[in-house]
Amino acid sequence: IYGKTFNVSAFKGNDEEVFIIFDDISLAKELVEIKRELVENISHELKTPLSNIKGYIETLEEELKRIGKKFKRIDEIIIFLDPVKRNTDRLIRIINDLLILSEVEYGVKFEEEKIDFKKILNGILKMYEKTLKDKKLFCELNISDELPEFYADPYRIEQMLFNLVDNAVKYTDKGGIKIRIEPYKQHSERKPNAIRIIVEDTGIGIPREHIPRIFERFYVVDKSRSRQSGGTGLGLSIVKHIVLMYNGKINVESKVGIGTRFEIVLPVKKQDKIKPKEIKI
Ligand code: ADP
């Protein structure tokens, strides 16, 4: 058993009995680690040449435009660069999302601090100011002042909220989006012991038969729409794993042509249940 990793849990039996369970998770852990390393290595290796290609495309485009006046048909030739640019950006986005997914699947947190939801959401909405205006969408933000303190990695919480807001804006053409963050009572506690986040839109909605699959990686309902708006099909898998990382729950309700509502509940305090401890021998 030397070098193996076990999940060890204990529980009380009858009378004076105590049961201790050693669950050998070495192989599962090793496989997860191999997969994570592989994804991270490949992603890092792909990122550098792609950023390089992107740089050269931009320079080439600028140079062509500069000399364009002297040559006829140059504008027609420049157009060929558009799909190259679009696809390079898409590849970079997929690689970034794959890296994030690989980290959150593995539960990688960088820091733990008190989350300032107002600051995070104001930052996110600032990025969408122009798109919301161009699409003539309203945006309602309602963050309670009574939120219980919630400690987490702000970077992960931002990624989670960003992906939900990004989808809401992407898949809505009329009406708008509403974001609400409020205290929540879980398990009939007297005081709020969780935070409820609701991101709602009046967009295209998700057909019922697709709902169970939208959290799967690379799953997209409408390939052309998702691609056109820059989707990778990884956003909701990232959201799901961040929610799981904080022992939360996510729920989605959607009606085609009416809109979609994502609800996340994140418990604020540590769970009472003692989790099995992981030990390496
Ligand atoms: P994508 O990058 O394609 O948006 P996601 O993992 O974020 O991938 O979402 C998976 C699919 O779920 C999307 O392709 C889209 O069809 C659907 N979806 C997600 N959010 C919404 C929403 N707010 N409204 C309508 N459809 C949505």
Side-chain angles (χ1 to χ4, degrees), residues 97 163-164 166-172 201 203-206 213-216 218-222 226-227 229-238 254 259-262:
D97 275 358
N163 285 338
L164 290 180
D166 185 66
N167 281 346
V169 177
K170 239 168 32 186
Y171 299 109
T172 303
D201 64 61
I204 58 170
I206 307 166
R213 301 200 58 192
I214 54 171
F215 293 101
E216 290 173 18
F218 291 117
Y219 192 81
V220 296
V221 175
D222 176 345
S226 169
R227 236 161 229 248
S229 47
T232 61
L234 292 169
L236 285 180
S237 322
I238 293 173
S254 189
T260 304
R261 179 184 192 269
F262 283 92

Side-chain angles (χ1 to χ4, degrees), residues 78-88:
I78 291 179
I79 291 171
F80 290 125
L81 283 178
D82 279 352
V84 184
K85 266 198 314 196
R86 255 202 329 274
N87 283 302
T88 315

